[in-house]
Structure formats: C-alpha cells, structure tokens
Amino acid sequence: MASLLAASNIRFMRRSQWNNSPADVLLLDTLGELAKIYRYATAAFVGGSLHSTSGGHNPIDRLRLACR
C-alpha cells in the first residue's frame, strides 16, 4: 500500500513514523490500533480482505463504534 501511495504522489505518513507532519493519509502499519482510530477517519480501507490470511479486522467494528 505504501508503494501505491508514493506512486500516486499522495502525502501519507506511516503510523510507526508519525510525527504530526501534515499528511492526507495515515497508513496504519502497526497491529491493534485500527479500532481505536476509526472515529477519526473520513474513510477507512481495510486491506486485510485483499489476501488470504486468517485473522485481521472485522469491518463490522466500524459500525459498532458508530452506534455508541
């Protein structure tokens, strides 16, 4: 995903390197933080559905947070 963002000239910041610099996209590259950050997102892409690994985040989590 980082290579796609870089090729698109989209300003992005990896979560592991976040330093409050301006960015259009925050790329979460750390485990266990997606559910905590959904509330701040205008849009979220859950990329775990692109490959066949077990586990990952459930898109229903976003709906559950919106109902609070």
Side-chain angles (χ1 to χ4, degrees), residues 16-37:
S16 61
Q17 300 170 348
W18 187 52
N19 61 6
N20 287 328
S21 295
D24 298 315
V25 172
L26 178 62
L27 178 61
L28 297 181
D29 61 348
T30 50
L31 294 176
E33 296 186 321
L34 183 56
K36 294 180 213 170
I37 206 161

Side-chain angles (χ1 to χ4, degrees), residues 46-57:
V46 181
S49 61
L50 296 178
H51 54 87
S52 59
T53 59
S54 60
H57 285 280

